[in-house]
Amino acid sequence: MKDARFPELTARQIGVLKNYGEIESFAETTTLFRIGDQQYDFFVVMAGSITIENPADQHKPITIHKKNEFTGDSGMLSYRSSQFNGVAQPKTCVLRISPKQLKKAISAHSDISDILLNAFLLRQETVLSQYEGGLKLIGTSNSKETYAIRDFMDKNHLWYNFLDVSSSKNAEDLLTHFGLTQEDLPILINSEAKLCQNPTLEELARYTGVLMEFDDTIFDVLVIGAGPAGLAASVYAASEGLEVVTIDGKAPGGQAGKSSKIENYLGFPTGISGRDLANNAYIQAQKFGCNISIPHKAESISYEKGVFTVNATNNKVIKTKAIVAATGADYRQLPISNIEKYEGSGVFYSATGMNASTCKNEIVGVVGGGNSAGQAAMFLADHAKTVYVIIRGDDLGAKMSDYLVQRINATDNITVLKSTQVTELHGQYHLESVVLQHKTQGNSKKPITNLFTFIGAKPCTEWVADLVETDEKGFICTGPGIKKEKLLQCEIFKKRKPQSLETSIPGFFAVGDVRKGSVKRVASAVGEGSMAVSQVHQYLAELKKVSY
């Protein structure tokens, strides 16, 4: 059976793709793209072959594309850097297509889109799970800075190899080779042996192509936040021909991206991880032409004469006719004075595959009684010796879905501690133990080395300031129920009330967890994100008739 990662295109499909590119021939060995190249071209082999080499592994061939096969992976839909070298062998003829033209072909031809995207996703999964290579990150598992970099690369599906100096001889040898010490950690090393000491996430994002540059275009719609609601808005806006850009301060997925397994989302009977759901939606949005840039976090916003101006991190100013705010909410910190000391070195706000190895045969705690906490507990129970689920109330089912409650109660190595709070954290460099306070039984100390917290929800609305109406907790108010005196006095609102997802300013929409009254579920967030686009269309049509 043909490997699904390396399918052959039919003669008809190649004929269609010829309309988007040019034929080139190479008499001698020719490098078509190199590791680190951004916006590298897509190639279909017409005759001969293209070898994909891994420079990080002595240029060993990853695969050889032959007649009717094609190069590329999901990074081609964005500005991500090439992960390998592509070398055309002598007497090779190719069809070369630029990334911009490739997106047009994918958007216009569903059969070609299906073949290419399926192969791209499978190739990405293979690279991340089966090959050592990519960026080398040298650090220690007890470092907050190292954890932040690993977390960013993991959630953004970046290919890297982590070398822990406490357990890796290779890491020690590399430090010696570069004349560095553990005081210089963390360190990133690329395939050309160039290193960067204690890189910022911006530097990492620029190097890998996750962070994009924008021109002075006034976009139709800017989506702020790439959780389920924001990604849904991005997919629908781009697929309907709007010029859309999406930014996020961390990674695709939002709070849903932190879920190890979502089982109650329609269409996935065996469940899907939040990370995979987010990555699929991330690629889907770019398939239709949406530009997504990370990390760009909105810092402030202004509005004048039908144009919103957003000042974002990394000195970026973005102008747009409409805004979809999908910035969600962050889990709150436990009210413990020294908690920041252990964040990234024992205290975490998501439970992903990256955490699994550090929890093997350990005693871990999960704080919170919602679905995210339940999903984390079930995931961690496959790795940890014991999992304590710690809740303040006396009913696990008060906020958690029944299927998760039943599974937690049926899992031997999960213990639910009700009417209990975490009051103290202890450990010299990494979390070693916690003090728990029971409502009636007093204090007890547990040797918990990894604590995962999923409590509360603080809306990410600092950037909004007083521009739009919010409630007392900071959630954005939407819909016709906003008091008339709180609405912007303008021509549009003189004719109608705000649409259901529209705020006190016409053209400014809020969806998902950041919106007052929203249902905190993935399905409802996706629904709101898609609904918002139809309301954006109505607003843009009205905007054309307004004179300033």
Side-chain angles (χ1 to χ4, degrees):
M1 181 180 291
K2 181 69 175 175
D3 191 331
R5 296 170 299 177
F6 309 110
E8 293 182 12
L9 296 170
T10 66
R12 185 195 65 79
Q13 290 167 338
I14 292 175
V16 169
L17 287 173
K18 284 181 179 178
N19 297 318
Y20 296 88
E22 297 179 353
I23 299 293
E24 296 183 11
S25 296
F26 305 99
E28 301 177 347
T29 301
T30 304
T31 298
L32 302 177
F33 52 86
R34 298 181 184 276
I35 187 171
D37 286 352
Q38 294 183 357
Q39 288 291 278
Y40 51 101
D41 291 335
F42 171 85
F43 297 92
V44 179
V45 180
M46 309 298 290
S49 62
I50 297 175
T51 301
I52 305 300
E53 300 177 344
N54 183 6
D57 190 16
Q58 301 177 338
H59 292 268
K60 290 181 181 178
I62 295 290
T63 190
I64 299 175
H65 295 297
K66 298 181 180 179
K67 184 177 180 180
N68 298 339
E69 295 182 352
F70 53 87
T71 64
D73 57 31
S74 58
M76 300 202 71
L77 301 178
S78 59
Y79 290 82
R80 296 195 176 200
S81 304
S82 171
Q83 298 173 312
F84 304 106
N85 293 345
V87 181
Q89 300 305 311
K91 299 180 180 180
T92 291
C93 178
V94 301
L95 170 61
R96 179 194 289 263
I97 302 176
S98 70
K100 184 177 180 180
Q101 290 298 107
L102 179 64
K103 288 183 182 180
K104 290 183 179 180
I106 287 175
S107 182
H109 304 282
S110 62
D111 60 330
I112 293 174
S113 171
D114 291 345
I115 291 175
L116 266 55
L117 292 184
N118 184 59
F120 286 174
L121 284 166
L122 290 172
R123 290 174 186 179
Q124 180 188 56
E125 182 181 338
T126 299
V127 168
L128 292 174
S129 62
Q130 297 183 19
Y131 286 94
E132 285 195 7
L135 294 169
K136 285 187 175 68
L137 173 63
I138 303 176
T140 170
S141 57
N142 292 332
S143 164
K144 289 177 61 174
E145 293 77 14
T146 300
Y147 180 83
I149 295 172
R150 292 181 67 196
D151 189 55
F152 182 84
M153 291 200 284
D154 189 65
K155 290 177 179 175
N156 284 283
H157 285 70
L158 297 175
W159 188 35
Y160 75 101
N161 183 25
F162 174 54
L163 302 175
D164 191 337
V165 291
S166 63
S167 58
S168 171
K169 179 66 165 58
N170 191 14
E172 293 180 3
D173 292 342
L174 285 169
L175 284 181
T176 301
H177 173 77
F178 288 108
L180 301 172
T181 69
Q182 291 194 24
E183 298 297 322
D184 300 307
L185 298 177
I187 297 169
L188 274 177
I189 304 175
N190 67 12
S191 61
E192 299 172 341
K194 295 180 180 179
L195 60 84
C196 181
Q197 293 178 228
N198 199 13
T200 64
L201 296 184
E202 178 189 348
E203 290 172 328
L204 174 60
R206 287 190 186 280
Y207 176 78
T208 56
V210 178
L211 184 69
M212 290 175 53
E213 295 295 338
F214 304 114
D215 54 24
D216 294 329
T217 300
I218 297 179
F219 295 95
D220 291 325
V221 58
L222 167 63
V223 180
I224 305 179
L231 288 171
S234 303
V235 168
Y236 279 87
S239 68
E240 294 179 12
L242 296 178
E243 192 162 4
V244 55
V245 63
T246 300
I247 62 173
D248 193 278
K250 297 176 182 177
Q255 284 201 15
K258 301 175 182 180
S259 295
S260 52
K261 192 174 186 181
I262 303 170
E263 292 190 71
N264 58 353
Y265 185 53
L266 187 67
F268 294 91
T270 59
I272 184 171
S273 73
R275 181 173 179 268
D276 287 343
L277 180 66
N279 186 53
N280 290 348
Y282 173 76
I283 292 170
Q284 188 178 15
Q286 292 175 114
K287 159 187 170 179
F288 290 115
C290 176
N291 296 303
I292 302 180
S293 186
I294 299 170
H296 276 309
K297 183 178 180 180
E299 292 188 319
S300 64
I301 182 172
S302 60
Y303 174 79
E304 185 177 2
K305 296 182 178 180
V307 175
F308 295 93
T309 301
V310 174
N311 294 296
T313 51
N314 303 324
N315 299 315
K316 185 52 57 184
V317 176
I318 307 171
K319 294 187 176 182
T320 180
K321 300 171 187 175
I323 291 273
V324 175
T327 45
D330 282 336
Y331 291 119
R332 296 181 184 274
Q333 283 185 333
L334 290 168
I336 300 174
S337 60
N338 65 341
I339 190 167
E340 291 186 0
K341 173 183 177 180
Y342 299 104
E343 289 176 331
S345 59
V347 173
F348 309 99
Y349 298 93
S350 62
T352 65
M354 188 176 71
N355 303 110
S357 60
T358 61
C359 293
K360 189 174 182 181
N361 297 323
E362 295 286 317
I363 298 175
V364 306
V366 175
V367 184
N371 277 8
S372 294
Q375 290 156 356
M378 292 304 303
F379 170 71
L380 294 168
D382 290 335
H383 308 277
K385 178 181 180 181
T386 301
V387 176
Y388 290 107
V389 176
I390 304 162
I391 62 173
R392 289 187 300 174
D394 57 6
D395 180 11
L396 185 61
K399 296 181 180 180
M400 189 180 295
S401 295
D402 183 65
Y403 80 95
L404 281 171
V405 175
Q406 291 186 43
R407 290 185 182 179
I408 287 172
N409 290 334
T411 303
D412 292 338
N413 64 333
I414 296 181
T415 298
V416 180
L417 302 178
K418 301 177 182 179
S419 302
T420 303
Q421 297 184 63
V422 179
T423 57
E424 296 178 28
L425 305 174
H426 297 282
Q428 186 173 6
Y429 302 110
H430 189 279
L431 184 66
E432 297 174 7
S433 64
V434 306
V435 174
L436 304 176
Q437 183 182 68
H438 189 271
K439 188 175 182 179
T440 59
Q441 298 174 8
N443 293 346
S444 63
K445 194 171 186 178
K446 300 285 186 184
I448 291 174
T449 57
N450 291 271
L451 189 69
F452 299 84
T453 74
F454 303 89
I455 60 169
K458 180 184 178 183
C460 302
T461 51
E462 298 87 354
W463 59 280
V464 172
D466 297 323
L467 185 68
V468 298
E469 183 70 7
T470 60
D471 70 4
E472 66 280 0
K473 295 181 179 179
F475 291 93
I476 298 176
C477 301
T478 59
I482 299 175
K483 294 180 180 179
K484 187 175 181 179
E485 61 269 23
K486 299 294 185 180
L487 300 179
L488 179 71
Q489 300 305 304
C490 61
E491 187 175 329
I492 290 178
F493 278 168
K494 286 179 181 178
K495 296 178 180 179
R496 65 166 175 83
K497 293 182 178 181
Q499 301 177 77
S500 61
L501 299 173
E502 199 169 22
T503 68
S504 55
I505 292 182
F508 191 120
F509 303 85
V511 296
D513 289 0
V514 77
R515 188 179 70 84
K516 178 184 178 181
S518 66
V519 178
K520 306 300 189 282
R521 288 288 186 269
V522 173
S524 61
V526 170
E528 289 187 11
S530 58
M531 283 172 54
V533 176
S534 65
Q535 298 185 14
V536 168
H537 277 296
Q538 178 179 327
Y539 166 74
L540 292 176
E542 294 170 331
L543 186 63
K544 292 178 180 178
K545 302 174 184 178
V546 175
S547 58
Y548 289 100

